[in-house]
Amino acid sequence: EKTGTCYRADHLLKDYCNEKLEKDLTISDKKATELKDVLANLEDFSCEKLGAKIKEYEITAPDTKNTLSDPYPFNLMFQTSIGPSAANIGYMRPETAQGIFMDFKELYNYNGRKLPFAAAQVGQAFRNEISPRQGLLRVREFTLAEIEHFLDPEDKAHPKFSNVAKLEFFMFQREEQMPGQSARKLCLGEAVEKGIVNSETLAYFIGRVYLFLVRLGIDKERLRFRQHLANEMAHYAADCWDAEIETSYGWIECVGIADRSSYDLHAHSEKSGVELQAEEKFSEPKEVVKLVITPMTKELSLAFKENKKKVVLSLKAMNEEEAMLMKATLESEGGIEFYVCTLAKNVTIKKNMVSISKEKTKEHQRKFIPSVIEPSFGIGRIVYCLYEHCFSTRPSKAGDEQLNVFRFSPLVAPIKCTVFPLVRNQQYEEATKVISKELTSFGILHKIDITGTSIGKKYARSDELGVPFAITVDSKTLVTIRERDSKNQVRVNLKDAASVVSSLAKGKMTWRDVSPKRLSSAAAADNTLAESMYPELFSLDGDDDSET
Ligand code: AMP
């Protein structure tokens, strides 16, 4: 109330309850149960209820301890104006997905009018977060990568599910998310069989997200898939799981994998009046019982004038259950209150305004609005978690210092290789430049280090940047490649060095493949010779920071 600083009301209440439960040993069992109950139902609290609880618990502003005003709703979408006139209001997209839904017709045609198919998009999303914090974890502009996989709601099997069905990892199902419980390892195939995950396709994407994150370098022991609680899930979602990664800030939601049913296409269709449907052609015509909704345009025009079109579209968009309920109420009571979302209000529909029936017809095809499964990746959050999971320290050889290491896998390491001469010598420096040029031609981002520092220091610098490989030029014809994590080294011909590192960096070859046996025989033989000539290069501890 004094400084005008804004806080998220639900966060204030959540922090208060957690702190009381963790730190206040004097609270009674009854109070503890009450606070746990608040935490479990927080997502469902109305603005008024949040305000009442904040008053009841006498919660004050965290930094100043000033009193707080009543909470008020806040739009997380950034408002802006489009073009020179301030009258054209626009909103920055809070997710990338909607562009894909708007393009559904084009994408469906492009895919030969067949389901399933998917479209993916990566780009910036904007949310006017009330309290951005924790570095990349909660920001107002962030990179989102989203896949929209469109499928037939009556067939949610996935042809490649068997590729991931045997994976086992931590899953935290809805029913088990009680205080004191934690995620347990489940086999994905079993989770589908038991109905824990609601479809094969949703599970397929959960499995692929797991493989993706682990391949990036996320520690699988600190990764779990948490199912949304019923009160967390958007009203239209059929099932939703978050890939959560444990960091020093706690468990962070990094990827959301949701079955959004047909909600988005439905809503765009309803608002724009453009049909966004797919069809399945039958080999033989089928006799079907069809719901027929016929709005009576004359009566609706008289009653709703310029709003008629919106009422008609909403009536036509009713599903079978809604339509049959309307029919029964119209017959018994003559009228019904009906919510038109495009008008954001109820209107009264009378018996003479719409005819609802079920008719038998022969159909050659089935038309339907596809469902969509959406994995949504917060790139910044994943990158941050990767930094934490890849970071480690190891003692220097002298044991007097802790050296920092980022164990980025070769696929994601920003710099793939460092190249340096063993000693300052014109020929070695020339060879270093030749290798650097070749690495550039392979598209391998690298660093060269021609400073006079010791080899141990150069390795330490390279490790700190997370560079997985280092090439040391130590003869006119042969060089040494050192791998960061094992600190093992092999000798290869100078002319092969760039291509070997390129294959390693692109994941075409693993370090295990680069055994002396697989290298050219000259280089293999020289590994033994070189070991006796340059013991410091072959010592298992490459962190030697003594001068060479
Ligand atoms: P949502 O649509 O809310 O499920 O968000 C999708 C993904 O975007 C989440 O799983 C997060 O990884 C990421 N995300 C959401 N909000 C933010 C934010 N404010 N800052 C950074 N990443 C975010």
Side-chain angles (χ1 to χ4, degrees):
E1 277 185 338
K2 284 202 184 134
T3 64
T5 311
C6 287
Y7 303 94
R8 264 183 68 165
D10 57 338
H11 283 181
L12 290 176
L13 194 51
K14 191 170 157 188
D15 293 347
Y16 170 84
C17 295
N18 281 329
E19 201 173 314
K20 273 263 165 212
L21 286 167
E22 277 167 29
K23 298 193 184 144
D24 190 347
L25 302 173
T26 62
I27 56 167
S28 63
D29 287 354
K30 197 171 155 223
K31 189 79 189 165
T33 315
E34 178 191 315
L35 295 176
K36 282 179 194 161
D37 201 52
V38 169
L39 284 173
N41 295 301
L42 201 56
E43 302 262 347
D44 285 340
F45 279 16
S46 64
C47 189
E48 290 70 33
K49 191 150 185 198
L50 280 172
K53 281 283 167 203
I54 287 173
K55 277 216 169 71
E56 183 189 333
Y57 296 154
E58 296 175 346
I59 300 174
T60 52
D63 345 279
T64 57
K65 305 290 171 229
N66 287 333
T67 45
L68 296 161
S69 73
D70 285 333
Y72 54 89
F74 178 73
N75 191 349
L76 280 182
M77 282 202 283
F78 273 105
Q79 190 174 320
T80 181
S81 54
I82 301 171
S85 150
N88 269 339
I89 303 256
Y91 293 91
M92 313 277 269
R93 60 179 182 188
E95 54 177 19
T96 62
Q98 298 308 323
I100 299 180
F101 295 123
M102 302 231 299
D103 281 343
F104 173 77
K105 270 189 130 175
E106 309 307 325
L107 295 166
Y108 182 53
N109 285 336
Y110 184 74
N111 199 50
R113 304 180 72 77
K114 284 201 183 71
L115 285 182
F117 72 87
Q121 178 160 256
V122 53
Q124 295 311 94
F126 305 86
R127 295 186 191 175
N128 202 358
E129 296 286 353
I130 297 170
S131 40
R133 54 185 171 177
Q134 301 165 332
L136 286 179
L137 299 183
R138 189 170 298 281
V139 284
R140 292 194 172 117
E141 177 183 350
F142 54 98
T143 306
L144 256 190
E146 293 182 303
I147 301 172
E148 306 301 327
H149 177 94
F150 295 97
L151 74 170
D152 184 339
E154 288 178 15
D155 178 13
K156 291 190 179 174
H158 196 289
K160 291 197 230 158
F161 181 63
S162 58
N163 292 356
V164 295
K166 291 205 172 72
L167 288 176
E168 250 188 53
F169 46 80
F170 285 108
M171 295 185 88
F172 205 7
Q173 64 187 89
R174 193 174 293 138
E175 293 71 27
E176 295 182 358
Q177 291 171 37
M178 305 289 166
Q181 297 254 51
S182 49
R184 59 192 173 89
K185 274 199 177 153
L186 270 182
C187 166
L188 200 51
E190 235 180 276
V192 175
E193 265 167 39
K194 291 186 178 159
I196 298 170
V197 179
N198 106 331
S199 75
E200 251 188 24
T201 302
L202 185 65
Y204 174 74
F205 280 102
I206 293 176
R208 289 293 302 265
V209 167
Y210 168 81
L211 291 175
F212 171 67
L213 293 173
V214 170
R215 190 153 183 229
L216 287 184
I218 295 296
D219 175 4
K220 50 179 181 275
E221 299 303 315
R222 286 184 280 167
L223 166 63
R224 72 180 184 195
F225 286 81
R226 191 182 65 81
Q227 189 172 30
H228 274 204
L229 298 172
N231 61 3
E232 259 181 289
M233 209 151 59
H235 63 278
Y236 49 82
D239 193 10
C240 185
W241 292 75
D242 284 340
E244 295 184 333
I245 302 175
E246 196 179 21
T247 68
S248 54
Y249 290 112
W251 287 96
I252 305 296
E253 172 208 331
C254 289
V255 187
I257 309 135
D259 180 339
R260 294 172 69 117
S261 66
S262 58
Y263 174 78
D264 301 275
L265 290 180
H266 209 287
H268 279 293
S269 188
E270 199 183 88
K271 294 252 173 183
S272 63
V274 177
E275 209 177 64
L276 298 172
Q277 293 194 339
E279 71 253 340
E280 180 201 0
K281 296 229 164 20
F282 300 140
S283 45
E284 279 176 27
K286 276 189 190 168
E287 191 164 272
V288 287
V289 180
K290 219 176 142 188
L291 175 72
V292 183
I293 301 172
T294 320
M296 300 300 167
T297 40
K298 203 171 136 206
E299 283 73 12
L300 289 165
S301 284
L302 279 171
F304 303 113
K305 303 196 169 64
E306 70 278 6
N307 289 334
K308 183 199 85 179
K309 201 174 164 202
K310 289 180 176 165
V311 179
V312 168
L313 281 173
S314 287
L315 284 170
K316 282 190 164 173
M318 281 189 294
N319 64 28
E320 188 170 331
E321 197 185 335
E322 290 163 337
M324 293 326 281
L325 180 71
M326 178 178 274
K327 182 179 166 68
T329 318
L330 289 178
E331 271 160 21
S332 61
E333 290 167 31
I336 186 172
E337 287 296 288
F338 176 62
Y339 184 74
V340 180
C341 78
T342 43
L343 296 174
K345 64 172 185 186
N346 277 342
V347 297
T348 309
I349 299 292
K350 300 235 176 74
K351 202 176 168 185
N352 64 350
M353 293 178 184
V354 62
S355 137
I356 299 169
S357 60
K358 278 188 173 178
E359 287 172 14
K360 265 192 190 166
T361 51
K362 283 216 159 168
E363 286 206 333
H364 299 264
Q365 63 175 17
R366 175 173 75 96
K367 275 196 155 192
F368 58 92
I369 303 183
S371 279
V372 73
I373 307 277
E374 179 199 79
S376 173
F377 302 77
I379 300 301
R381 288 193 183 178
I382 297 174
V383 168
Y384 174 79
C385 295
L386 201 58
Y387 268 68
E388 274 210 14
H389 285 204
C390 290
F391 182 75
S392 64
T393 55
R394 57 184 173 208
S396 62
K397 201 174 181 197
D400 56 347
E401 216 189 328
Q402 284 297 320
L403 303 173
N404 296 331
V405 185
F406 271 119
R407 293 176 185 272
F408 294 135
S409 88
L411 273 177
V412 299
I415 306 169
K416 312 288 184 195
C417 179
T418 20
V419 199
F420 41 76
L422 177 65
V423 285
R424 297 201 80 170
N425 150 332
Q426 204 195 342
Q427 277 177 330
Y428 288 3
E429 284 178 16
E430 284 306 315
T432 301
K433 284 179 191 153
V434 169
I435 294 173
S436 163
K437 214 169 156 194
E438 272 180 38
L439 285 169
T440 304
S441 76
F442 280 112
I444 297 296
L445 203 82
H446 61 280
K447 251 172 82 79
I448 52 176
D449 187 348
I450 314 189
T451 57
T453 26
S454 73
I455 185 115
K457 281 216 173 87
K458 283 178 182 170
Y459 282 151
R461 277 180 193 168
S462 181
D463 292 350
E464 190 157 39
L465 291 171
V467 184
F469 304 106
I471 301 175
T472 310
V473 179
D474 44 21
S475 95
K476 277 176 267 171
T477 51
L478 291 163
V479 297
T480 300
I481 305 178
R482 178 243 195 200
E483 196 267 340
R484 179 198 59 217
D485 299 338
S486 62
K487 295 188 274 178
N488 287 338
Q489 306 174 344
V490 291
R491 303 269 290 160
V492 301
N493 282 324
L494 194 149
K495 62 179 179 33
D496 295 333
S499 91
V500 170
V501 167
S502 166
S503 298
L504 286 166
K506 290 174 183 162
K508 291 182 188 160
M509 200 157 83
T510 66
W511 182 247
R512 231 180 298 153
D513 299 327
V514 195
S515 67
K517 262 186 260 141
R518 295 180 193 234
L519 300 169
S520 71
S521 52
D526 200 67
N527 263 328
T528 332
L529 178 67
E531 205 165 337
S532 55
M533 286 167 66
Y534 301 111
E536 74 279 13
L537 271 179
F538 286 83
S539 70
L540 272 179
D541 187 355
D543 294 325
D544 178 5
D545 43 10
S546 60
E547 291 294 324
T548 307

